[in-house]
Amino acid sequence: MENRTILISGASGNIGSEVIRGLKEIQSTHQIVAADYNPERAKEKLDQFSGLEYRTLDFAHPGHFDDALKGVDVVFLLRPPSLADVDRYFVPFVEAMKRNGIFKVVFLSVQGAEKQSFIPHHKLEKLLVEQEM
């Protein structure tokens, strides 16, 4: 398997930091980009892990998406609980992922989202499938 560059969104949160911990524990040789709206906080939380690259990723500021995604192959996408408007926050992000040639997206959703069309996870899953991400 060739090495990839994997961007982990929400790197300073409980889930994002555990994904990074898991990749480090299995001694993954992939480049890990710890992306967060507050990369300084991510650096503090993840200071025990060497070799991480830190980037700003704030879904409320789409003008920074290309910088966050530059050179990335895979995105671990975690929807921040406070952001429910898929059209406003995630359509531009999916467009940026496509523009930047993202190879694969791993989206942390919720069980049964495919049957609950009123929740943001359902809308985001649908968007990712429609855009062939």
Side-chain angles (χ1 to χ4, degrees):
M1 171 188 252
E2 72 181 81
N3 283 338
R4 303 275 186 198
T5 299
I6 305 171
L7 181 141
I8 309 298
S9 69
S12 69
N14 293 331
I15 294 170
S17 63
E18 286 302 316
V19 169
I20 291 170
R21 179 184 311 285
L23 289 168
K24 289 297 190 174
E25 284 179 0
I26 64 168
Q27 299 177 358
S28 171
T29 58
H30 299 295
Q31 174 63 40
I32 301 169
V33 175
D36 200 274
Y37 73 93
N38 185 342
E40 292 305 315
R41 185 177 71 183
K43 285 179 188 177
E44 290 174 16
K45 184 163 187 173
L46 302 167
D47 68 344
Q48 73 270 31
F49 302 117
S50 63
L52 298 179
E53 181 180 346
Y54 295 89
R55 296 188 190 172
T56 301
L57 178 58
D58 184 342
F59 293 108
H61 293 94
H64 298 272
F65 291 165
D66 288 331
D67 290 338
L69 295 167
K70 185 176 182 179
V72 169
D73 303 299
V74 177
V75 171
F76 175 80
L77 179 59
L78 177 66
R79 184 189 66 82
S82 62
L83 302 181
D85 188 337
V86 171
D87 290 336
R88 179 177 178 188
Y89 297 108
F90 297 101
V91 166
F93 187 66
V94 169
E95 290 170 354
M97 287 193 295
K98 288 187 72 102
R99 190 170 53 248
N100 282 276
I102 299 302
F103 172 74
K104 181 183 289 188
V105 177
V106 177
F107 172 52
L108 179 64
S109 190
V110 296
Q111 185 174 0
E114 72 281 0
K115 298 175 187 170
Q116 301 179 51
S117 62
F118 58 91
I119 63 173
H121 293 85
H122 172 86
K123 294 173 185 171
L124 188 46
E125 283 183 10
K126 186 177 175 186
L127 173 65
L128 291 168
V129 169
E130 287 172 353
Q131 294 299 315
E132 300 178 354
M133 300 297 303

